Amino acid sequence: MDQLREALAAVARDLGAADADVQLERPREEAHGDLATNLALQLAKRLKRKPRDVAAEILAKLTLPPGVIEKAEIAGPGFVNFFLAERALGATLTAVLGAGERYGRSDAGAGRRANVEFVSANPTGPLHVGHGRQAALGDAIASLLEATGWQVTREYYYNDAGAQIANLTHSVQAWIRRLGGEDAAIPPGGYHGEYVRDIAEQYVHEHPSDAGGADLDAIRQFAVRALREEQDRDLQAFGVAFDVYALESALYAGSQVDTTVRRLVSAGHAYERDGALWLRTTDFGDDKDRVMRKSAEKGGDFTYFVPDVAYHVSKWERGFTRAINVQGADHHGTVARVRAGLQALEMAIPEGYPEYVLHQMVSVTKGGEEVKLSKRAGSYLTLRELVDDVGRDAVRYFFLMRRGDSQLVFDVDLAKKQSEENPVYYVQYAHTRMAGIFRNADRDPTAVGPDFADPSPLSAPAETELLKLLGQYPAVVEKAAEFLEPHRVIAYLEELARAANAWYHHHRVLGEPAPIERARLMLARAVQIVLRNGLTLVGVSAPERM
RNA sequence: GCGCCUGUAGCUCAGUUGGAUAGAGCGUUGGCCUCCGGAGCCAAAGGUCACAGGUUCGAAUCCUGUCAGGCGCACCA
């Protein structure tokens, strides 16, 4: 492909257009060949000639690399279509079988370090469905980066000491007093879920000396730990693991917050007004300036903006050349101000740092009606309940099959009731069928390597189609990683599974004449490898049996 | 009012960053089990790509405007 591109560039130079951008793409239509270029269309205007005439001259001057291209032809308004020789497709097969589980991986990231922050829910309640989308998305993005050569840290940031935690603490305290027979009300802004009562009961059980709930600090620590542990259990059930848990309170304790403010002031972008300390973020693309330290009458403490900036400084200083934040779209307002804060430090942090992957909200329908999301346990909306009901694989797959910036309707009834028709089963089933071939043949699939047999008997249309798809997988992974869009992998897997199921239905493997059987075993093994690699990449299992 | 995201088949959504006749699943209709797992395969019907302009060889894709939905717009986090 690179050879072809260079050959075309040489022709372009010859025609006096050395700066032409040579584009090679895979045509949608099979009749349009395996690769196509629009070079003639691009050049036609500046050469003031008809596109098809330019295409003819390109073709005449083109020196094709030997053995790779079978034929080339002019089509449509002036496209030049190239047809790959069969040998090239056979090479795909040996590439897949040779690389195995490494097929599709690359080292584009060259071992540089990337931080992917996601979920980052404060420990004020169980994880809900929206966190589930974020967990699936963040984990898959991290995996995509790993597959393309980045050294990835999965990070979870949470606040264990702010106003929301105080609300939680007082809510638990109120329940402790209720359990003691008092008539205590949940404070305004407090948490009403049943889990609050459960925590209160546990607290009383483990702290008999404080049955009255007087020790707020002890209650806070207990509640935060209990909810963090519950969230960890939920994430574990979902198959997501983090490398680093970062605490907001540590930024204060480690004086990073103070240091950040000092740097911002000395960089000259801060000013005082109405008794508060402001940062002129409008100098760096924000739409309004931000308060860093509140005025004395408002309490005189820092706004959340400051630790947010300090936190991202810490990512930079820990050596992450990329920081990717996966967040709900309701947080999009923070994007401009965090970046502006980092620029205002004048520490040579790149302008686009950190990168954001924002996903739209998940709405949940149950019984045909939309259910409002809230942090109430028992409302059938926690991630844990969804995973327990629908299954980890289906939940992961559903959350990833859509682009992040389209809204997602998760119909719980449908996911449960019609789980057999879920696309995830279709893809997994294709994998199971390939595995079944080796099971029935009583063969070890891992023994089928690139030198297992001669792949040339694979000539049926369904087979060349499969080989082409297998050859596309590395590019799919590369693009999905580049755009941080795991749904591209899902779409590819469905296409591959469709082609694999059609092939399986029309062609037998076992019992055919030996050269054909052995060649098809290679193809079946290659399909199995790529399906498994892709499913693993998006966090879905590839079962041998279902 | 301002900003970000979205609008594609009855429903849920893709669309390889500007390419050729806009695709898939579900649903609907009609076929296919002596066969490695039918959780499957083959086919049909179904479209003013929200609407109106513009850019150019060429637009679902880029620009402008309008309409509709979602989410933001604190000295809250």
Side-chain angles (χ1 to χ4, degrees):
Chain A
M1 186 158 164
D2 287 338
Q3 294 174 9
L4 183 57
R5 194 189 306 270
E6 276 188 28
L8 285 166
V11 175
R13 276 194 297 276
D14 197 33
L15 288 169
D19 58 327
D21 174 29
V22 177
Q23 295 177 21
L24 267 182
E25 55 193 17
R26 275 188 304 279
R28 221 188 305 259
E29 290 288 323
E30 202 170 332
H32 297 148
D34 300 303
L35 290 168
T37 182
N38 59 359
L39 187 61
L41 292 162
Q42 283 184 58
L43 298 182
K45 193 181 184 189
R46 68 160 84 174
L47 298 177
K48 295 193 188 342
R49 295 172 53 191
K50 290 181 189 167
R52 285 191 70 107
D53 291 348
V54 178
E57 184 166 352
I58 289 173
L59 215 47
K61 292 191 172 179
L62 189 61
T63 320
L64 290 172
V68 180
I69 304 295
E70 190 172 270
K71 63 169 177 171
E73 62 186 26
I74 301 165
F79 290 99
V80 180
N81 296 335
F82 301 96
F83 294 78
L84 292 179
E86 296 285 335
R87 267 183 303 244
L89 293 175
T92 297
L93 197 55
T94 52
V96 176
L97 295 175
E101 63 183 22
R102 294 202 51 81
Y103 182 68
R105 303 179 77 92
S106 71
D107 58 356
R112 283 171 294 169
R113 299 181 62 212
N115 181 292
V116 181
E117 182 206 331
F118 57 109
V119 184
S120 291
N122 285 343
T124 56
L127 298 176
H128 57 68
V129 186
H131 294 125
R133 183 178 199 182
Q134 199 168 118
L137 195 54
D139 196 41
I141 285 171
S143 295
L144 279 170
L145 290 174
E146 283 170 341
T148 47
W150 290 84
Q151 189 188 328
V152 178
T153 296
R154 290 169 171 80
E155 188 152 318
Y156 186 120
Y157 175 68
Y158 69 98
N159 180 350
D160 58 335
Q164 299 304 324
I165 299 296
N167 287 338
L168 173 76
T169 306
H170 285 106
S171 302
V172 174
Q173 184 187 47
W175 259 114
I176 292 170
R177 291 180 172 164
R178 281 189 193 180
L179 294 170
E182 286 182 55
D183 185 20
I186 304 290
Y191 293 86
H192 297 264
E194 277 186 34
Y195 64 89
V196 180
R197 179 199 175 125
D198 294 342
I199 290 170
E201 283 177 349
Q202 288 167 34
Y203 180 83
V204 172
H205 182 70
E206 293 181 26
H207 297 75
S209 59
D210 186 29
D215 189 347
L216 270 177
D217 202 49
I219 294 171
R220 178 180 59 78
Q221 286 182 30
F222 184 86
V224 166
R225 187 166 49 93
L227 284 165
R228 275 291 323 131
E229 284 172 358
E230 184 185 359
Q231 289 179 349
D232 280 343
R233 283 194 298 273
D234 296 350
L235 288 166
Q236 197 174 4
F238 198 40
V240 175
F242 288 88
D243 304 303
V244 173
Y245 287 86
L247 277 72
E248 182 179 345
S249 63
L251 295 169
Y252 284 98
S255 77
Q256 282 116 310
V257 170
D258 287 332
T259 305
T260 299
V261 172
R262 216 176 315 119
R263 281 176 177 167
L264 286 167
V265 170
S266 65
H269 301 288
Y271 62 93
E272 292 211 24
R273 195 180 74 200
D274 304 332
L277 183 65
W278 295 70
L279 185 67
R280 204 181 310 280
T281 52
T282 48
D283 285 352
F284 302 94
D286 200 1
D287 56 351
K288 57 184 76 167
D289 289 344
R290 303 294 165 181
V291 171
M292 293 195 286
R293 194 180 54 236
K294 302 177 198 172
S295 59
E297 56 265 34
K298 297 276 187 181
D301 46 8
F302 293 117
T303 62
Y304 76 101
F305 167 70
V306 180
D308 243 17
V309 174
Y311 174 48
H312 286 92
V313 170
S314 91
K315 288 184 184 174
W316 178 254
E317 290 184 331
R318 277 183 282 154
F320 294 109
T321 53
R322 293 179 76 183
I324 292 155
N325 293 352
V326 182
Q327 296 184 348
D330 53 339
H331 288 87
H332 76 253
T334 65
V335 174
R337 78 188 67 162
V338 167
R339 287 180 176 164
L342 292 174
Q343 291 306 303
L345 285 163
E346 298 187 353
M347 294 173 64
I349 297 174
E351 270 185 45
Y353 195 93
E355 299 162 65
Y356 285 84
V357 175
L358 301 179
H359 64 87
Q360 295 291 324
M361 299 291 94
V362 177
S363 59
V364 178
T365 60
K366 182 188 172 192
E369 289 181 15
E370 183 172 347
V371 187
K372 278 288 169 202
L373 287 177
S374 72
K375 287 187 179 177
R376 295 188 180 184
S379 63
Y380 195 70
L381 289 173
T382 63
L383 172 61
R384 184 54 173 273
E385 282 166 311
L386 193 65
V387 171
D388 286 349
D389 273 352
V390 180
R392 180 205 286 190
D393 283 343
V395 174
R396 283 241 196 185
Y397 194 98
F398 265 69
F399 278 144
L400 291 176
M401 59 196 277
R402 309 299 181 214
R403 268 160 67 233
D405 48 15
S406 70
Q407 284 161 238
L408 185 75
V409 179
F410 204 114
D411 186 330
V412 175
D413 298 317
L414 192 76
K416 277 181 69 177
K417 188 175 61 185
Q418 300 193 349
S419 63
E420 288 184 351
E421 292 163 22
N422 280 345
V424 61
Y425 289 101
Y426 184 88
V427 176
Q428 288 181 320
Y429 183 55
H431 178 269
T432 303
R433 279 178 147 177
M434 298 304 129
I437 293 171
F438 292 96
R439 198 161 50 238
N440 282 309
D442 200 22
R443 276 181 183 278
D444 175 13
T446 62
V448 178
D451 302 322
F452 180 74
D454 173 15
S456 59
L458 299 172
S459 57
E463 293 172 333
T464 51
E465 170 68 16
L466 262 181
L467 288 169
K468 275 184 204 171
L469 281 170
L470 292 173
Q472 289 169 17
Y473 179 68
V476 169
V477 174
E478 184 190 328
K479 286 290 178 190
E482 181 183 344
F483 295 109
L484 307 174
E485 291 180 343
H487 79 272
R488 289 165 181 264
V489 177
I490 301 259
Y492 169 82
L493 287 173
E494 286 182 20
E495 202 178 343
L496 179 60
R498 209 160 20 247
N501 278 330
W503 172 69
Y504 179 91
H505 189 265
H506 291 295
H507 303 283
R508 287 189 59 82
V509 174
L510 304 181
E512 296 292 308
I516 294 177
E517 175 179 300
R518 291 178 72 82
R520 287 184 177 164
L521 280 170
M522 290 175 82
L523 182 57
R525 175 59 182 157
V527 170
Q528 187 190 14
I529 286 170
V530 175
L531 285 173
R532 175 184 288 274
N533 288 0
L535 284 169
T536 304
L537 203 48
V538 293
V540 177
S541 69
E544 300 286 319
R545 296 171 183 269
M546 292 169 68

